[in-house]
Amino acid sequence: MQLKINEFETYAIEQGYESGTELFESLGYTAEDYEEYKAGKHITREMLMRLYMDIGVDAVDFVDFGEYECEKNIDLLDRL
């Protein structure tokens, strides 16, 4: 799974943040972490759950599950 950066940035601005970096930092991550995800680092199931718990159902809109990842995480998606 990867973070859809454009969608995350758009969501952040819609929520009143200056950028995705600011929102990411408000979630307890660092700007350096965000740069890694922007570069294509995969997110974990734990991070997805944290995003979902902190942001809500909108978090699913800016995660690219990929076909394999979707099948692999179907139990998690059922809970969301």
Side-chain angles (χ1 to χ4, degrees):
M1 295 178 285
Q2 290 183 303
L3 199 59
K4 295 180 186 175
I5 299 302
N6 290 337
E7 288 83 346
F8 188 80
E9 291 280 339
T10 300
Y11 177 81
I13 291 168
E14 289 172 351
Q15 298 304 308
Y17 294 92
E18 286 187 27
S19 66
T21 302
E22 185 180 359
L23 172 56
F24 211 67
E25 290 175 325
S26 78
L27 297 170
Y29 298 99
T30 66
E32 291 79 19
D33 292 332
Y34 187 58
E35 289 302 316
E36 290 178 9
Y37 291 108
K38 285 174 68 173
K41 179 180 177 180
H42 288 260
I43 64 172
T44 64
R45 289 170 57 109
E46 292 76 22
M47 182 179 184
L48 175 60
M49 288 302 294
R50 184 172 176 186
L51 289 171
Y52 182 79
M53 296 301 289
D54 290 344
I55 293 174
V57 71
D58 290 336
V60 177
D61 294 337
F62 41 81
V63 174
D64 179 2
F65 291 96
E67 189 173 322
Y68 170 74
E69 290 293 330
C70 189
E71 291 175 15
K72 181 177 161 186
N73 292 300
I74 197 74
D75 62 319
L76 179 63
L77 297 175
D78 285 343
R79 288 187 275 170
L80 298 178

